[in-house]
Amino acid sequence: MNRKNKMLLWCVALFGAIALVGCSDSDDTTTPGAGDQPYDGPVVEGSSMSLSTFSPNYGKYLQKVVFEGSGFTSPENMKVYFNQRPSAVIGVSADGTKFYALAPRLPGDDCVISVVQGSDSLVYNEHFAYTASTTVETLVGTGTPGQTMGSFAEAEISPYYCVADQSGNLFVASRNQNAINSSISDNHSFIRVDMNNNEVSMLSNGCVPNVPTCDQTTGIVSVPTEAYVGSFIEFNPIEMWAPRNRQFTWDPNNSDVPQYGWKHSMVVNPTDGMIYTRFYFGHIVRINPVTYESEFVLKARNNVDTYGLCFRKSEPNVLYFTTYQEHRIWKLDMNLPREQWEAVQISGGTGVAGHRDGDLDQALFHNPTMIFQDSEDNIYVADEYNHCIRRITPENQVETVLGIPGKSGWQDGAKESALFNRPRGLTIDKDDNIYVCDYGNARIRKLSIN
């Protein structure tokens, strides 16, 4: 029997022997205090708690860990952090000498364990080795570009951009690879991928769709088009996603109207419920999704395409966006006084393509397209011509999640072998599953991170 299995049996036996006080249901893996700020304060001297050891000292997401010491009270009174990521505390022994918690998602490879109880805070001397496992599998697509609807096994698509709703649907902008620059309606379409029934269906075959967004409260999907300055298409679930052509009115207080309707992405701001878009000519605009009135926000970065917009949960009203030709990522902090609003470059480089992980201000990208945030404030980036999926952590560290930089291909599997070919679109569902529009491979891929 290997070490891992022995340790698992030991933990099972120990959990059965411990009388847990205030124990929640064992299937509840939600993280308490998810809205709390991670503990990053000083260690308190003379604490009523004491810490000794924990086991196992390695594992992956949701690894069950038994912590030993004294003075532990109840799960409701305790907060435990792996580095700065909160852990779910499941139960405490009756004598207060042990508690049981679950390893959080993506805390970092080498984890310092801190325990906070009331005003007491202590840190274990031993570290926890987090062993993340990231894999990719093909979900939809045969590898042949097309517009053949049907089951996942038979569908032929050309996935360009995508967004997920709360009900198990992906909405995909499909762009014909043989006519990518054509506006002929039959060349492009907007499709629905039903994850519950494993079916792909056509929603619109008469539009040239760009990067969609979904209001996660109403389920309404909005898709920018380039026909007119204010043109976009709306798909409402209460109307079975029948396409509705919409037109937002231009801000009458701003006479600087874009010459053409070149807006390539939209995003819903979860703080104010408004839809934001950015034009090729630099105009950032927010749109009322009910009245379709617009307000000019800022003109930032003239004559460059933006295929990615997102907001982080921990930074309300801070808009992140990509500039495709410049290989850069920017942010606009709208919490500042309006006269101080400006787009600030946050990624490294001088507009030259490259690949470099590490500190965000030094990181390099090669034509970044869609960006999307998960529930833990990681931002994922479809790095098209690096043929990679990148991640920006809450600490603003850049990591290559999957793909071999600069090498295109199609290969499912783990980080060491997985290959992409021009990934352009990505989205994240309510369960933090990541879906990638692997455009060069004519497939939708699903990333699993454990």
Side-chain angles (χ1 to χ4, degrees), residues 198-210:
N198 294 349
E199 290 184 350
V200 180
S201 58
M202 181 76 69
L203 294 183
S204 176
N205 194 27
C207 65
V208 182
N210 282 316

Side-chain angles (χ1 to χ4, degrees), residues 382-398:
D383 195 1
E384 182 177 5
Y385 282 102
N386 273 321
H387 309 290
C388 291
I389 305 302
R390 315 280 292 281
R391 174 171 58 225
I392 305 170
T393 71
E395 298 76 33
N396 284 334
Q397 293 295 304
V398 178

Side-chain angles (χ1 to χ4, degrees), residues 98-328:
K98 298 180 179 68
F99 70 88
Y100 157 36
L102 303 176
R105 187 171 181 265
L106 301 176
D109 296 338
D110 182 49
C111 300
V112 174
I113 308 296
S114 55
V115 182
V116 180
Q117 185 171 258
S119 61
D120 293 342
S121 55
L122 293 175
V123 175
Y124 277 95
N125 291 325
E126 186 178 9
H127 289 195
F128 180 89
Y130 187 84
T131 54
S133 172
T134 306
T135 58
V136 63
E137 61 179 328
T138 296
L139 188 70
V140 183
T142 64
T144 300
Q147 296 193 86
T148 302
M149 304 296 101
S151 69
F152 281 10
E154 63 187 5
E156 294 180 349
I157 56 177
S158 300
Y160 215 50
Y161 309 118
C162 60
V163 72
D165 68 6
Q166 295 283 313
S167 302
N169 297 296
L170 296 181
F171 299 91
V172 180
S174 184
R175 305 282 288 266
N176 189 323
Q177 295 189 27
N178 295 322
I180 196 62
N181 295 315
S182 171
S183 61
I184 300 174
S185 62
D186 288 343
N187 290 326
H188 314 297
S189 60
F190 196 68
I191 62 179
R192 172 183 168 225
V193 177
D194 183 347
M195 304 292 293
N196 297 315
N197 296 303
N198 294 349
E199 290 184 350
V200 180
S201 58
M202 181 76 69
L203 294 183
S204 176
N205 194 27
C207 65
V208 182
N210 282 316
V211 178
T213 188
C214 180
D215 187 315
Q216 299 299 330
T217 301
T218 65
I220 295 174
V221 178
S222 301
V223 185
T225 67
E226 301 174 36
Y228 306 102
V229 168
S231 63
F232 69 104
I233 303 174
E234 191 176 85
F235 298 85
N236 194 324
I238 66 174
E239 298 179 347
M240 294 303 295
W241 300 286
R244 304 294 184 191
N245 291 316
R246 303 299 188 193
Q247 181 81 17
F248 63 80
T249 59
W250 189 253
D251 184 351
N253 297 315
N254 181 45
S255 60
D256 183 13
V257 182
Q259 183 179 2
Y260 302 104
W262 296 342
K263 52 193 178 305
H264 299 122
S265 56
M266 282 182 160
V267 67
V268 173
N269 181 353
T271 301
D272 63 17
M274 296 290 202
I275 299 172
Y276 287 69
T277 190
R278 183 190 172 279
F279 287 79
Y280 170 81
F281 303 100
H283 308 74
I284 297 175
V285 175
R286 60 182 164 207
I287 305 147
N288 187 310
V290 177
T291 65
Y292 307 121
E293 294 176 330
S294 75
E295 178 187 0
F296 174 72
V297 175
L298 182 75
K299 193 168 185 177
R301 311 305 302 166
N302 292 341
N303 301 342
V304 63
D305 293 318
T306 287
Y307 299 113
L309 298 162
C310 80
F311 289 90
R312 271 176 163 165
K313 181 175 61 176
S314 65
E315 298 178 281
N317 297 315
V318 177
L319 176 66
Y320 286 80
F321 66 93
T322 61
T323 51
Y324 183 75
Q325 294 91 339
E326 295 179 324
H327 317 288
R328 292 169 172 166

